[in-house]
C-alpha cells in the first residue's frame, strides 16, 4: 500500500461542485471562471503564433517579451521597476507559482501562517515541503486580519506568511495600512511573504489594490503571484507569473525548472502581443466586473439572501440564515444545486475550524448578463 503524503486531502470542492452542476444541469456559479470568452484579438493571436511556428519550448523563465510586458505593467500600475530578467518568472498558472514559491521557502518543521478561509492549494503545498500551516481565522463579518492573534502566532519556526488580496472567497481587500503593520511585525525576523494577488485588477468602488509590489520593505522578502487566467478571462490557459527579488527568484526557478520547466509557448506569445496592443484592458476590468457584481446584487436584493457587496474578486458571499438555518453550508450548496438549479461553493471547506455561526455560500459573478439574471431569478424564488 502506498503511504499517502496527503492523507487528509480529497477531491477539491471546485471539481466536486462543478461536477454536481453538470450532472444536475444547474447554473454553475460555483468554481470561479467566466462563461464568456477572452478578447478575440488575444485568442486570434494564439492561432497566429501556432501557425507561425512558435511551438517549441519557451525559455525556462518565460518568453522575454511577456516578462517585459509584465514589468511594464507593474511599473505603470504599482510604480515598481522590476528587472524582467532577474525578477519575473512566467509559470503554468498561479497554482504552480504558489507551489514553487512555497517549496523554495518552507523546510522541514517550518511553519507557514495562513488566514482562513484560505485558498485550498496553500496547505498541501506547505505539507509537501515538510512544513505545517498555522491557520488564523479572519474576523467576521469583515474578513480582516486579527493583528493580536497574528503577533501571538509568530514564533521561531515561522518562515512564511501567505496573503491573498483581493481575497477569495470573501472579496475583502487588504489596505496599505495592513501591509505597514505586517512589515513592522516581521521586521528583523527571517520571515517571508507569499502574496497571492491573482485578482489584482478586480477591485471595486474606486478602491486601490494594495499590492505588495507597492511596498518597498515587504517586497524585499516577498513572492508576488498573479494569473493571466483571471485578468484575460482565460482560466483554462493556466498561465501566471511570479515577481520576486533576484535572490528569491533564483531559488524559485530552481524548483520551477523541475516542476514544469516552462509554460505553453504560443499562449505566452499571444499574451505578450495583447498586453502590448491593449494596455488599457486591465484598467477597464474594475468597471467591467463591478457592473456584473452590481447587476447580480441588485437582482438578489429582493431575495432572502443577505450580503455585503464584494469589495474585490469575482465572488459574492451570501448569507442564507433567513432561508435554511438548519443546513450547514456544504449541505446548503448541494441543496441549492440539486433543488434550485444554482451551484455555489460552501466556504467552510476553506477553514481548519469553520465558524459555527456562519451561514455563507459563495457565488461567482463572472458570468454573462443572461446567466446572472436566470440564476438570480431562481435564487430569488427560494
Ligand atoms: N489563488 C487564488 C486565490 C485563486 O482563486 C486561484 C484561482 N484559480 C488561483 C490562485 C490559481 O490560479 P491559476 O488558475 O492561474 O492557477
Ligand atoms: N480559483 C477558482 C475558484 O476559487 C478555482 C480553481 C480550481 O478549480 N482549482 O473557484
Amino acid at each position: 500500500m502506498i503511504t499517502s503524503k496527503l492523507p487528509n486531502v480529497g477531491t477539491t470542492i471546485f471539481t466536486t461542485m462543478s461536477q454536481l452542476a453538470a450532472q444536475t444541469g444547474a447554473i454553475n456559479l460555483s468554481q470561479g471562471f467566466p462563461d464568456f470568452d477572452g478578447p478575440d484579438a488575444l485568442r486570434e493571436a494564439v492561432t497566429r503564433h501556432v501557425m507561425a511556428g512558435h511551438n517549441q519550448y519557451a525559455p525556462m523563465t518565460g518568453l522575454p517579451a511577456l516578462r517585459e510586458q509584465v514589468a511594464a505593467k507593474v511599473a505603470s500600475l504599482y510604480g515598481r521597476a522590476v528587472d524582467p530578467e532577474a525578477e519575473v518568472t512566467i509559470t503554468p498558472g498561479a497554482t504552480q507559482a504558489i507551489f514553487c514559491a512555497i517549496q523554495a521557502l518552507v523546510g522541514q518543521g517550518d511553519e507557514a501562517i495562513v488566514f482562513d478561509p484560505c485558498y485550498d492549494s496553500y496547505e498541501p503545498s506547505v505539507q509537501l515541503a515538510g512544513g505545517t500551516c498555522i491557520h488564523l481565522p479572519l474576523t467576521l463579518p469583515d474578513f480582516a486580519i486579527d493583528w493580536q492573534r497574528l503577533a501571538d502566532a509568530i514564533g521561531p519556526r515561522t518562515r512564511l506568511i501567505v496573503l491573498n488580496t483581493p481575497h477569495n472567497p470573501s472579496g475583502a481587500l487588504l489596505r496599505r495600512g495592513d501591509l505597514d503593520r505586517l512589515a513592522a511585525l516581521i521586521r528583523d525576523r527571517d520571515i517571508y511573504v507569499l502574496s497571492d494577488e491573482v485578482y489584482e485588477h478586480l477591485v471595486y468602488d474606486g478602491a486601490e489594490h494594495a499590492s505588495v509590489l507597492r511596498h518597498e520593505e515587504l517586497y524585499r522578502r516577498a513572492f508576488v503571484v498573479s494569473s493571466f487566467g483571471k485578468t484575460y478571462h482565460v482560466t483554462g490557459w493556466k498561465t501566471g507569473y511570479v515577481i520576486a527579488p533576484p535572490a528569491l527568484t533564483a531559488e524559485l526557478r530552481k524548483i520551477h525548472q523541475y516542476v514544469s520547466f516552462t509554460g505553453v509557448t504560443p499562449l505566452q506569445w499571444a499574451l505578450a502581443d495583447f498586453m502590448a496592443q491593449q494596455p488599457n484592458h486591465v484598467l477597464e476590468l474594475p468597471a467591467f466586473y463591478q457592473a456584473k457584481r452590481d447587476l447580480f446584487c441588485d437582482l438578489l436584493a429582493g431575495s432572502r439572501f443577505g450580503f455585503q457587496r464584494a469589495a474585490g474578486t469575482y465572488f459574492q458571499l451570501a448569507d442564507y440564515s433567513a432561508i435554511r438555518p438548519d443546513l450547514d453550508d456544504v449541505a446548503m450548496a448541494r441543496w441549492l444545486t440539486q433543488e434550485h438549479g444554482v451551484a455555489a461553493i460552501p466556504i467552510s471547506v476553506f477553514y481548519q475550524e469553520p465558524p459555527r455561526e456562519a451561514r455563507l455560500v459563495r457565488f461567482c459573478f463572472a458570468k454573462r448578463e443572461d446567466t446572472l439574471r436566470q440564476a438570480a431569478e431562481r435564487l430569488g424564488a427560494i
Side-chain angles (χ1 to χ4, degrees), residues 66-76 80-84 88:
L66 183 55
R67 284 187 278 112
E68 279 157 24
Q69 285 303 321
V70 170
K73 181 189 87 169
V74 159
S76 92
R80 171 165 304 280
V82 295
D83 176 356
V88 182

Side-chain angles (χ1 to χ4, degrees), residues 14 31-33 91-98 118-122 163-169 196-199 225-230 234-241 313-315 362:
F14 307 116
Q31 190 177 27
F33 62 88
T91 59
T95 309
Q96 195 260 22
I98 290 165
C118 82
Y119 191 60
D120 64 347
S121 85
Y122 305 154
L163 302 179
N164 172 213
T165 185
H167 179 247
N168 178 8
D196 179 347
E197 303 185 9
V198 300
Y199 301 103
V225 171
S226 191
S227 171
F228 297 105
K230 316 289 174 195
V234 287
T235 59
W237 287 17
K238 292 301 298 186
T239 305
Y241 63 84
T313 74
Y314 46 46
F315 302 118
R362 188 197 83 176

Side-chain angles (χ1 to χ4, degrees), residues 138-291:
L138 295 169
T139 59
L140 292 175
D142 292 333
F143 294 91
I145 292 175
D146 180 335
W147 292 98
Q148 191 53 52
R149 273 186 95 147
L150 176 59
D152 294 345
I154 292 175
R157 299 167 91 170
T158 311
R159 182 79 170 147
L160 171 66
I161 297 176
V162 184
L163 302 179
N164 172 213
T165 185
H167 179 247
N168 178 8
S170 73
L173 307 178
L174 291 178
R175 309 283 167 179
R176 164 85 202 189
D178 295 312
L179 300 186
D180 290 339
R181 278 180 98 156
L182 177 66
L185 262 184
I186 63 177
R187 195 169 291 150
D188 306 323
R189 289 175 186 263
D190 190 25
I191 297 177
Y192 294 82
V193 171
L194 168 58
S195 190
D196 179 347
E197 303 185 9
V198 300
Y199 301 103
E200 62 178 318
H201 303 296
L202 278 52
V203 290
Y204 311 128
D205 308 312
E208 182 185 85
H209 168 54
S211 177
V212 164
L213 290 165
R214 288 185 204 272
H215 202 281
E216 189 56 41
E217 187 179 353
L218 278 185
Y219 177 65
R220 274 186 251 134
R221 46 170 88 201
F223 288 97
V224 179
V225 171
S226 191
S227 171
F228 297 105
K230 316 289 174 195
T231 302
Y232 297 99
H233 319 306
V234 287
T235 59
W237 287 17
K238 292 301 298 186
T239 305
Y241 63 84
V242 194
I243 301 179
L248 296 187
T249 292
E251 288 307 313
L252 173 108
R253 288 175 177 176
K254 287 183 192 174
I255 297 165
H256 159 76
Q257 68 181 344
Y258 293 125
V259 173
S260 58
F261 184 70
T262 185
V264 177
T265 304
L267 301 185
Q268 296 189 51
W269 278 103
L271 286 161
D273 281 3
F274 189 78
M275 287 179 82
Q277 284 157 11
Q278 300 202 28
N280 283 344
H281 172 89
V282 295
L283 305 177
E284 290 158 7
L285 278 180
F288 175 79
Y289 273 119
Q290 185 172 324

